[in-house]
Amino acid sequence: MSSRILYLDNNATTAIDPEVRDAMWPYLGEFYGNPSSAYSFGRRVHDAIEASRAQVAALINAAPEDIIFTSCGTESNNTAILSALERDRDRQQIVTTKVEHSAIVKHAEKLARKGYEIRWIKVDDQGRIDPDEVRKAVSDETAILSIMKANNETGVLFPVEELAAIAEKEGALFHTDAVQAVGKLPIDVKAAPIHLLSLSGHKLHCPKGIAALYVHPRIKFQGMLIGGGQEEGRRGGTENVASIIALGKAAELANQHLQQASHRMAAMRDRFESIITERLTGVKINGGEAERLPNTTNMIFDGIDGEGLLILLDQEGVCASAGSACTTGSLTPSHVLTAMGLTTEQARSSLRFSFSRLNRDEEAEEAAGIVVRAVEKMRALGDDSPVLSHTAATH
Ligand code: PLP
C-alpha cells in the first residue's frame, strides 16, 4: 500500500483549501454567537454570513439576496423541484434527463411513484441531449425543466442557455444542477433565464455539508423542505455558520483562480488522456466527442474489470471512481453510462479520473504511467488475474 496519495477523484469531493480552513476557524472558536441574536456579538456573525452570501453570489453573477444556503447539493436540487411543483397546481410535470445525478433521478422516481409525470430526455452515445427533444417534451403542463450544467461522471456539458429559453417560452421554471460546473467554468445566471441553480461546497475545496441554491428574484419560491424563519423564511434552521463562511471563501478563491485553474486542469487532463491512449490499445473516452468539463475524463479499458483496476491503482495511491457501484452484493452499472448505450460489461470496464486546481502538474503523468502499468499487468494475467478473482469473491 502506497503512503502517498495521487488524488484524481475531485468530482467525488475535493481537498479543503487551507485558506478556506483559516477563514472558517474563528467561527468554530471565538465567534460562536447566533446570527439571529440582536446584540453585537450575534450581529457580527450575521454580517460575516452576509459577506459570504455576496462572495457566493459573485461567483455566478447573482445578487446576494438571491442566494439561499442549504446543507448540500442534494437539498438544493430537491428544494428546486418541490418548490416548482408547489408554485402552480396546474403544472405538475417534471422534465429532466436520464443522466442527472441521483439527487435528481432518485427524487424524480420517488415523485413518479406519488403520481407526478416525469418526462425523461434521452442522451446520445456521447451523453448529449437533443434540444429539439426537450422542446417537444416541455409544455404548459411542465412545472420545471431540470437539466444539469455538467455531468459528474463524464464531464459532458449541456447547453443550459438554450434549454432555459425553451422552459421560459412555455412558462415553466428552469433549474440547473451546476454542482460540478461551478468553480470549473464561468457561470452567469443573468446570461439566460435560469430560475434556479444548485451548487455545493465540497466540490469547491470547501467542507462537506454546505451548499447553496440560487433563486431568480422574480419567481414565487417556497422553501419546501425545512420550514423556519432563517434565510428570509426560505430555509429554516440555525445557520451552519463556519461552513457558510468557508463557502464564501471557497467561492472567492474559485472566482480568483477560475481562468488559470480551468486551463491547468484541462492541460493535466489532456496530458493524462494522451499518455494512456498512446501507450495502451483498447481505450476509449466516454463522451470524448462532446464538449466536456476541463477536469474530467471517463475511460473504457477493453476487457478490464474496473473494480479490479481500482484496487491495483489504490495500491499505488491513485484515487479514482468506477463506472459501476457495488449495491447489495452485485455490481450495478452506472445509469449515466448505460443511458449512453454502454453495455454492462463496458460500464464495468470504465473508470473516471477528475482533477482539481490543487493537483500538481506532474501528477497527471505519474498517475497515467501507473494506470498504463496496471492495465498491462491485468491484461497479461488475463483470467488468472488475482485481482479479478478477489473481486469476484468479494462482490
Ligand atoms: N449534483 C451533482 C452533479 C453532483 O456531482 C453531486 C455530488 O456528487 C450532487 C448533485 C450532490 O451534492 P451533495 O453531495 O452536496 O449533496
Side-chain angles (χ1 to χ4, degrees):
M1 192 64 70
S2 169
S3 58
R4 62 111 221 219
I5 293 290
L6 275 167
Y7 189 75
L8 300 187
D9 203 16
N10 288 280
N11 286 10
T13 198
T14 54
I16 301 174
D17 188 310
E19 284 192 57
V20 169
R21 212 164 29 218
D22 289 348
M24 75 188 289
W25 195 240
Y27 297 88
L28 293 168
E30 56 186 312
F31 301 127
Y32 56 83
N34 188 319
S36 298
S37 300
Y39 39 79
S40 53
F41 186 57
R43 286 300 300 174
R44 184 188 178 123
V45 176
H46 171 270
D47 292 350
I49 287 181
E50 293 317 305
S52 177
R53 200 184 304 280
Q55 289 166 315
V56 173
L59 183 58
I60 57 170
N61 195 29
E65 59 274 21
D66 302 334
I67 300 295
I68 301 173
F69 291 114
T70 64
S71 66
C72 55
T74 302
E75 182 189 331
S76 296
N77 283 350
N78 282 220
T79 303
I81 304 270
L82 294 177
S83 172
L85 292 172
E86 195 66 18
R87 186 170 158 256
D88 182 345
R89 293 283 166 188
D90 291 333
R91 290 176 178 267
Q92 298 290 283
Q93 176 200 79
I94 299 160
V95 181
T96 189
T97 77
K98 291 259 184 187
V99 295
E100 301 299 309
H101 187 267
S102 55
I104 292 285
V105 171
K106 295 251 186 255
H107 187 217
E109 286 168 355
K110 186 169 150 195
L111 291 169
R113 287 194 292 277
K114 286 187 170 175
Y116 292 96
E117 187 196 349
I118 318 293
R119 292 197 167 172
W120 298 100
I121 306 294
K122 296 193 303 288
V123 295
D124 68 9
D125 62 354
Q126 296 299 311
R128 296 171 293 214
I129 51 164
D130 175 356
D132 280 337
E133 265 211 52
V134 178
R135 233 168 248 118
K136 281 186 217 142
V138 176
S139 72
D140 61 3
E141 290 179 16
T142 307
I144 188 164
L145 170 64
S146 178
I147 298 191
M148 62 199 337
K149 171 66 191 165
N151 186 270
N152 45 300
E153 294 193 29
T154 58
V156 171
L157 301 180
F158 294 87
V160 295
E161 285 80 11
E162 186 178 358
L163 300 168
I166 294 172
E168 170 125 308
K169 193 158 167 270
E170 293 294 337
L173 292 187
F174 179 70
H175 166 249
T176 189
D177 172 351
V179 163
Q180 291 293 346
V182 171
K184 295 171 191 152
L185 295 175
I187 304 283
D188 180 355
V189 289
K190 297 204 177 105
I194 294 172
H195 300 116
L196 297 145
L197 178 146
S198 306
L199 62 91
S200 178
H202 74 106
K203 315 290 181 178
L204 281 178
H205 304 293
C206 176
K208 295 152 192 68
I210 185 68
L213 177 65
Y214 159 79
V215 181
H216 191 287
R218 279 207 314 278
I219 69 161
K220 198 171 101 198
F221 172 81
Q222 310 216 13
M224 290 305 300
L225 282 174
I226 306 180
Q230 291 87 354
E231 298 292 280
E232 308 287 331
R234 297 173 298 179
R235 200 278 189 184
T238 299
E239 294 84 344
N240 180 359
V241 176
S243 294
I244 289 174
I245 305 306
L247 184 58
K249 187 67 185 174
E252 181 192 84
L253 292 171
N255 222 350
Q256 203 174 301
H257 292 295
L258 191 59
Q259 231 185 0
Q260 204 212 359
S262 171
H263 282 126
R264 267 198 63 233
M265 289 190 286
M268 287 188 280
R269 190 269 315 268
D270 292 350
R271 181 90 190 106
F272 180 81
E273 280 182 351
S274 62
I275 293 173
I276 290 175
T277 51
E278 274 161 26
R279 287 179 48 193
L280 288 175
T281 55
V283 179
K284 220 176 90 200
I285 294 164
N286 290 316
E289 289 166 32
E291 233 195 303
R292 287 180 296 158
L293 283 173
N295 78 318
T296 309
T297 185
N298 190 312
M299 298 176 159
I300 312 184
F301 299 93
D302 282 352
I304 293 289
D305 177 87
E307 288 281 312
L309 179 54
L310 273 190
I311 294 170
L312 282 190
L313 296 181
D314 186 29
Q315 285 167 1
E316 299 291 328
V318 176
C319 305
S321 277
S324 52
C326 185
T327 31
T328 56
S330 67
L331 280 178
T332 313
S334 134
H335 69 282
V336 173
L337 300 181
T338 46
M340 289 164 69
L342 269 68
T343 61
T344 301
E345 234 18 71
Q346 288 172 317
R348 285 186 61 168
S349 298
S350 297
L351 290 193
R352 176 190 71 186
F353 303 89
S354 47
F355 292 82
S356 85
R357 67 177 165 81
L358 296 186
N359 281 115
R360 286 175 291 111
D361 294 337
E362 59 274 21
E363 287 180 331
E365 253 170 60
E366 200 182 342
I370 293 171
V371 172
V372 168
R373 285 193 297 280
V375 170
E376 282 170 346
K377 183 172 170 187
M378 287 179 80
R379 284 184 177 158
L381 288 169
D383 289 343
D384 295 332
S385 166
V387 176
L388 280 173
S389 47
H390 163 81
T391 318
T394 51
H395 293 287

